[in-house]
């Protein structure tokens, strides 16, 4: 587990963009099961989260269609919430960072770490915007 003082600025990058931080399994399930669409970002301390994932997730919100709900859980910190989110992302293996779009509780789009690592934030944002246009 990472110390909170280390992850605080990494959390803030998403929470300041409007992402709701989730800490419990029940809250993860409640948010994902809401009507509409929910983007879940599994945040991480790694370089690709800082360079690609968090900026890409933020940029993706500059779109006509956006998810109804945007939430985040933090790998290596929020174990209960991350485990619950990953269960709902099955059959995809656990990875962080990662992003999943759910519609009415059903997984409809997934970006795993290998889709994020080494790709510019702009490309990640475009990928998410296409998913928003299809499902939101």
């Amino acid at each position: 587990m990472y110390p909170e003082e280390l992850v605080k600025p990494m959390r803030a990058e998403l929470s300041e963009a409007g992402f709701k931080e989730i800490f419990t399994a029940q809250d993860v399930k409640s948010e994902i099961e809401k009507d509409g669409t929910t983007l879940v970002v599994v945040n991480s301390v790694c370089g690709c989260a800082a360079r690609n994932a968090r900026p890409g997730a933020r940029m993706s919100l500059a779109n006509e269609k956006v998810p109804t709900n945007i939430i985040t859980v933090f790998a290596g910190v929020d174990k209960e919430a991350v485990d619950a989110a990953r269960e709902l992302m099955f059959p995809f293996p656990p990875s962080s960072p990662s992003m999943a779009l759910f519609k009415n509780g059903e997984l409809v789009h997934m970006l795993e770490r290998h889709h994020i690592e080494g790709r510019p934030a702009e490309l990640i944002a475009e990928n998410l915007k296409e998913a928003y246009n299809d499902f939101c």
Side-chain angles (χ1 to χ4, degrees):
M1 298 299 252
Y2 297 105
E4 185 58 36
E5 58 273 6
L6 174 71
V7 301
K8 187 176 181 179
M10 297 172 204
R11 285 186 189 278
E13 252 185 280
L14 292 179
S15 63
E16 290 172 1
F19 284 80
K20 182 177 179 180
E21 293 182 64
I22 304 297
F23 303 99
T24 69
Q26 183 56 47
D27 287 345
V28 166
K29 291 174 184 168
S30 295
E31 291 292 325
I32 289 174
E33 290 172 357
K34 286 182 177 178
D35 287 340
T37 50
T38 301
L39 176 66
V40 179
V41 175
V42 178
N43 202 348
S44 172
V45 298
C46 71
C48 66
R51 190 172 43 258
N52 313 89
R54 291 191 297 269
R58 288 191 330 266
M59 282 187 251
S60 76
L61 301 176
N63 194 48
E64 187 175 319
K65 292 182 177 183
V66 294
T68 311
N69 308 298
I70 53 175
I71 68 172
T72 183
V73 296
F74 209 108
V77 181
D78 306 325
K79 183 174 177 17
E80 179 185 339
V82 171
D83 289 349
R86 287 177 171 164
E87 281 180 29
L88 297 170
M89 295 173 188
F90 184 82
F92 295 95
S95 69
S96 56
S98 62
M99 301 177 199
L101 184 65
F102 293 84
K103 183 170 186 169
N104 300 324
E106 179 185 342
L107 179 63
V108 294
H109 188 74
M110 184 74 190
L111 285 173
E112 298 174 85
R113 180 186 177 104
H114 70 267
H115 297 120
I116 296 168
E117 193 171 32
R119 290 182 172 76
E122 294 81 8
L123 186 61
I124 293 162
E126 287 306 313
N127 180 295
L128 290 171
K129 287 177 183 182
E130 287 178 26
Y132 303 162
N133 292 339
D134 290 342
F135 298 106
C136 296

